[in-house]
Amino acid sequence: IEVHKLNFHYTLSQKRALFRNKEISASPILRDINFQLPQGAHVTLFGKEATGKTTLLNLLSGKLKPSQGYVRINGKKPELIKDASSGYVSATKISNQKETCSEILLAHAKTQPIPDPASRVSFISDLLKLTSFVHRSPDTLSTTQQIRMNIARAAICDTPLVLFDNITDHFR
């Protein structure tokens, strides 16, 4: 990972935005961020709420584009890497009442260049101990189970980057 002179601000039609019941200005979220991480590195990012941690992860995953500067994953822009955003894991719930977790994971696996998607889903489900709830609707899962589902989704892909966003609060 290489991040060079990264700057980011949200484009807003107004000078202020409502964010988590707090009014914040539309000033730059990230300014002049520079770092390099070798392949296989494990890093933890700490900081107060609303200081840009999730924004940085969204930039690394290609969900957002920098206002200035650049991000490179294995020499490429994240938004050009097919499954860069698949490695983004959060506590966000998947809302889908019509399909089971297993069906959702299998549908996701079928979008990947995997020789046997069903075997991959079965292997990941066993590895992450999802078998007790994988045949249920995601709407019935606890937050911890939902996070494990999101980790499974990331593990199914051949993504160059796995980013965990605010999940440790749910594992106490």
Side-chain angles (χ1 to χ4, degrees), residues 102-160:
S102 180
E103 291 167 335
I104 291 168
L105 290 174
L106 183 58
H108 181 64
K110 287 180 178 178
T111 67
Q112 307 301 309
I114 300 169
D116 187 357
S119 292
R120 180 73 170 253
V121 168
S122 178
F123 173 75
I124 296 297
S125 294
D126 289 343
L127 183 69
L128 295 175
K129 299 181 180 10
L130 308 182
T131 53
S132 66
F133 61 85
V134 75
H135 297 292
R136 293 175 21 207
S137 165
D139 291 338
T140 67
L141 303 183
S142 70
T143 301
T144 303
Q145 290 170 329
Q146 182 65 54
I147 291 169
R148 287 174 37 212
M149 260 291 289
N150 291 342
I151 291 170
R153 216 179 50 209
I156 286 169
C157 302
D158 188 22
T159 182

Side-chain angles (χ1 to χ4, degrees), residues 2-8 30-34 59 65-72 77-79:
E2 181 183 4
V3 175
H4 182 72
K5 294 188 177 183
L6 180 67
N7 290 283
F8 182 81
L30 300 171
R31 290 185 205 143
D32 201 29
I33 306 295
N34 297 284
L59 287 158
K65 292 182 183 179
S67 301
Q68 292 179 325
Y70 64 83
V71 173
R72 297 290 183 268
K77 293 179 179 181
E79 62 268 19

